[in-house]
Amino acid sequence: MDSASQDFQPRTFSIKLWPPSESTRLMLVERMTKNLSTESIFSRKYGLLGKEEAHENAKRIEQLCFTSADEHFKKEPDGDGSSAVQLYAKDTSKMMLEVLKKGPGITAESEAPVADTPLESGDTVLDVSGGKRAFIEADEAKELLSPLTKPGNSYKRICFSNRSFGVDAANVAGPILESVKNQLTEVDVSDFVAGRPEDEALDVMRIFSKALEGSVLRYLNISDNALGEKGVRAFSELLKSQENLEELYVMNDGISEDAAKALSELIPSTEKLKVLHFHNNMTGDEGAVYVAEMVKRSPNLESFRCSATRIGSDGGVALSEALGACTHLKKLDLRDNLFGVDAGIALSKTLPNLPDLVEIYLSDLNLENKGTIAVLNALKQSAPQLEVLELAGNEINAKAAPAVAECLTAMQSLKKLTLAENELKDEGAVIIAKSLEDGHADLKELDVSTNMFQRVGARCFARAVANKSGFVLLNINGNFISDEGIDEVKDILKAGKNSLDVLGSLDENDPEGEPGEDDEDAENEDDEDELDSKLQNVQVEQDD
């Protein structure tokens, strides 16, 4: 909320901005990938892309827009490149919306709410999030919200994300929102005070909270507002009045221990909650205890996300035990925390209570062999219907491969398997690949990148997927596969039911590498702060 954190005003650039370096172009691809694969008002309307599909579209969009902007720049060789950058950013925003409108092309990891309902026809959704990210003052707020003032309007869903409201604008919005609050069922006020000083941002939150107090919402998104404890309490009147919430999103909000405690205290009832998503917060072990309390009070939870929240072993154990109360859970996402072996074992004891699991994301949890094997043994018995299993970055080696293979043999409905960034080597790769050869007719994606295997492991994985109709992506990048091995993989895929189209990029494969060698990436990052600042807020652009 610090005024320096977001800059909506035009800036003067003294350096030459075009062409961007390769690192800057890659940065933009990653940002577009995130936009295309993250839950938003657009994904709720058109559908959400999986990470891999989003990445492929992002690369295509970037290349097309770069070419167009480069042609533009060549016509103005004496310029500083700022107009080319603006064109580059604007076109990428428009093309992202076009991609989202087409909807997902494959079944992949979903960030969309499990309990989401289709958008209704007619004027039921007011979305002012489109267009340029900008400060909203009183006059524009009055214009943007004018549809809500029309007699007999039937708006039920509102989205104010991506527009920064000041106090004057909030004072205009408050009475309008209060006049329609009894008909609202969904409110998205994520990222609606960016760039405002803290005191002003908190006042804006209080005004919106007071205006919406007493509304009967099923969906509330307060993400991306740098809330902290002060921000959570600024929403107290709204939160205290909600007893029918089915979906709550509190992502990228600076949720510390105190903020998590405040959130747990303020919401009177989570009995009907089906979706609870935390992500990219600073919750830690102490905060996880309060999140766990909310989870215990949410017996109907179907989708729980608590990723990248700095939770260690103690917090991981508390959360794992609390999840035992959520017997209807379908999607569990705990990625990118510091759980360790003990939390993994605690989770394994809870999993038998979750018979409806369809997707589970456990990457980057430091589970190691012992924690991973405990989890897999539990899943083998309790969730053979699993469709998505993600275990990347857990320091798994060949010793865990038999347990992985046994679990996979039981999971014949699997659509996506991610074991990237482990240490399987050829020994583990052969065992796991063999378990995937027979059955697994629905498998569409297999990611075993960065696992230190060579020619033998690559061939085995290729054979495992070559004859599965409907298979979409084999990622074996980042390994040590010889040129001959790559040729063999391609021949195997050509001879099967699928074409070479299923083979992912091999740009990071090291044909001369050896398992176990320490490769240090010594690339120097380009110093392009000015250009980065122009591209950092590229996002989906609303139709005019």
Side-chain angles (χ1 to χ4, degrees):
M1 292 181 291
D2 179 36
S3 59
S5 65
Q6 298 284 343
D7 188 356
F8 296 100
Q9 305 305 318
R11 302 176 64 181
T12 301
F13 294 86
S14 57
I15 64 172
K16 197 155 188 173
L17 298 174
W18 195 267
S21 72
E22 187 64 25
S23 63
T24 296
R25 294 180 64 184
L26 289 172
M27 169 275 295
L28 183 61
V29 169
E30 291 308 309
R31 285 187 179 141
M32 284 194 287
T33 300
K34 182 178 179 181
N35 272 303
L36 291 169
S37 59
T38 301
E39 192 269 334
S40 68
I41 194 77
F42 301 104
S43 67
R44 290 165 62 73
K45 185 181 285 188
Y46 304 120
L48 189 71
L49 274 64
K51 290 285 175 63
E52 193 66 35
E53 186 180 7
H55 186 62
E56 290 303 314
N57 275 286
K59 288 193 295 185
R60 177 181 60 83
I61 291 171
E62 190 282 329
Q63 182 60 56
L64 289 171
C65 294
F66 172 82
T67 301
S68 175
D70 199 45
E71 288 298 316
H72 173 84
F73 176 69
K74 288 174 182 177
K75 296 175 184 178
E76 300 179 11
D78 296 329
D80 66 357
S82 60
S83 62
V85 172
Q86 290 170 0
L87 179 65
Y88 184 47
K90 183 177 181 181
D91 286 352
T92 53
S93 296
K94 287 184 176 180
M95 291 187 71
M96 277 194 287
L97 180 60
E98 292 173 6
V99 167
L100 280 177
K101 281 186 173 182
K102 291 180 181 178
I106 60 175
T107 299
E109 171 190 342
S110 172
E111 298 292 344
V114 170
D116 188 26
T117 53
L119 290 178
E120 300 171 31
S121 59
D123 293 332
T124 66
V125 183
L126 179 66
D127 176 13
V128 302
S129 67
K132 297 179 181 178
R133 175 186 287 273
F135 284 138
I136 302 299
E137 304 304 339
D139 290 344
E140 189 171 3
K142 184 176 181 179
E143 180 181 349
L144 287 172
L145 274 63
S146 62
L148 296 177
T149 65
K150 295 178 180 178
N153 76 79
S154 56
Y155 288 100
K156 296 180 180 179
R157 304 181 178 197
I158 56 174
C159 177
F160 294 154
S161 181
N162 188 45
R163 299 298 185 98
S164 180
F165 284 76
V167 169
D168 290 343
N171 282 327
V172 170
I176 297 175
L177 291 175
E178 190 166 3
S179 71
V180 297
K181 68 179 181 182
N182 290 332
Q183 66 193 50
L184 296 177
T185 60
E186 302 194 9
V187 170
D188 184 341
V189 285
S190 59
D191 192 21
F192 82 131
V193 289
R196 302 288 179 178
E198 182 179 277
D199 289 346
E200 182 179 20
L202 292 172
D203 284 342
V204 171
M205 292 176 193
R206 292 186 191 102
I207 293 169
F208 273 72
S209 175
K210 179 63 177 175
L212 293 167
E213 180 183 11
S215 54
V216 183
L217 303 180
R218 60 165 296 278
Y219 170 101
L220 177 61
N221 191 340
I222 54 175
S223 303
D224 301 304
N225 284 313
L227 295 177
E229 183 191 8
K230 291 180 182 178
V232 171
R233 295 198 181 279
F235 275 116
S236 61
E237 288 174 296
L238 171 59
L239 293 173
K240 282 181 179 178
S241 66
Q242 299 307 305
E243 297 188 358
N244 292 280
L245 277 180
E246 294 179 19
E247 301 181 38
L248 176 62
Y249 299 85
V250 195
M251 300 188 288
N252 193 31
D253 268 333
I255 299 299
S256 61
E257 174 189 358
D258 290 336
K261 180 181 180 181
L263 195 63
S264 180
E265 290 174 353
L266 288 171
I267 299 181
S269 173
T270 53
E271 285 287 319
K272 297 183 179 180
L273 207 59
K274 295 182 179 180
V275 179
L276 177 60
H277 282 198
F278 290 86
H279 170 68
N280 195 29
N281 284 302
M282 45 200 286
T283 312
D285 281 344
E286 295 80 5
V289 172
Y290 295 106
V291 176
E293 288 183 3
M294 291 184 66
V295 170
K296 285 179 186 176
R297 303 195 305 266
S298 307
N300 290 303
L301 210 58
E302 296 180 8
S303 177
F304 178 64
R305 182 181 186 186
C306 198
S307 50
T309 49
R310 307 183 187 181
I311 296 175
S313 181
D314 291 344
V317 170
L319 267 183
S320 296
E321 293 175 349
L323 285 166
C326 307
T327 56
H328 301 288
L329 203 65
K330 297 178 181 178
K331 175 179 175 179
L332 176 60
D333 185 347
L334 300 170
R335 284 174 288 187
D336 194 14
N337 283 298
L338 302 169
F339 275 31
V341 174
D342 289 345
I345 292 173
L347 180 61
S348 72
K349 295 176 181 178
T350 290
L351 289 172
N353 297 322
L354 312 178
D356 295 335
L357 271 182
V358 177
E359 303 178 23
I360 187 166
Y361 302 91
L362 303 176
S363 291
D364 301 306
L365 291 178
N366 296 332
L367 296 179
E368 301 179 16
N369 283 347
K370 187 175 181 181
T372 300
I373 290 171
V375 166
L376 290 172
N377 286 340
L379 287 173
K380 177 177 63 177
Q381 300 296 329
S382 64
Q385 75 285 349
L386 211 65
E387 295 180 4
V388 177
L389 174 60
E390 193 177 283
L391 284 165
N394 276 301
E395 301 178 35
I396 308 168
N397 60 33
K399 292 180 181 179
V404 176
E406 287 181 23
C407 185
L408 295 179
T409 300
M411 293 177 178
Q412 291 298 315
S413 298
L414 208 60
K415 295 180 180 178
K416 181 178 180 180
L417 173 63
T418 300
L419 294 169
E421 298 179 20
N422 285 300
E423 303 168 10
L424 296 175
K425 301 185 179 178
D426 279 334
E427 182 184 354
V430 170
I431 295 170
I432 292 170
K434 186 67 177 176
S435 71
L436 292 171
E437 276 191 37
D438 297 329
H440 295 99
D442 296 326
L443 190 64
K444 289 179 170 55
E445 296 185 34
L446 174 61
D447 185 350
V448 285
S449 58
T450 318
N451 262 290
M452 301 182 177
F453 59 75
Q454 299 175 283
R455 181 178 183 175
V456 172
R459 285 202 313 256
C460 289
F461 280 123
R463 288 195 196 100
V465 302
N467 290 304
K468 298 188 190 305
S469 57
F471 188 80
V472 174
L473 176 67
L474 172 63
N475 186 354
I476 54 174
N477 205 5
N479 287 296
F480 307 128
I481 310 166
S482 65
D483 292 337
E484 294 81 4
I486 295 297
D487 289 339
E488 289 174 340
V489 165
K490 291 180 178 179
D491 288 341
I492 291 169
L493 293 175
K494 285 178 184 176
K497 293 181 179 179
N498 298 301
S499 69
L500 278 179
D501 291 343
V502 304
L503 184 60
S505 171
L506 293 168
D507 60 340
E508 295 180 4
N509 179 60
D510 182 2
E512 298 179 359
E514 293 291 335
E517 69 182 9
D518 292 323
D519 262 344
E520 292 293 332
D521 184 4
E523 279 188 279
N524 292 321
E525 295 183 3
D526 292 322
D527 182 12
E528 297 195 0
D529 292 342
E530 296 290 354
L531 179 53
D532 178 76
S533 69
K534 276 212 159 193
L535 296 176
Q536 65 182 343
N537 289 322
V538 168
Q539 58 194 334
V540 181
E541 184 171 298
Q542 176 79 315
D543 285 332
D544 293 332

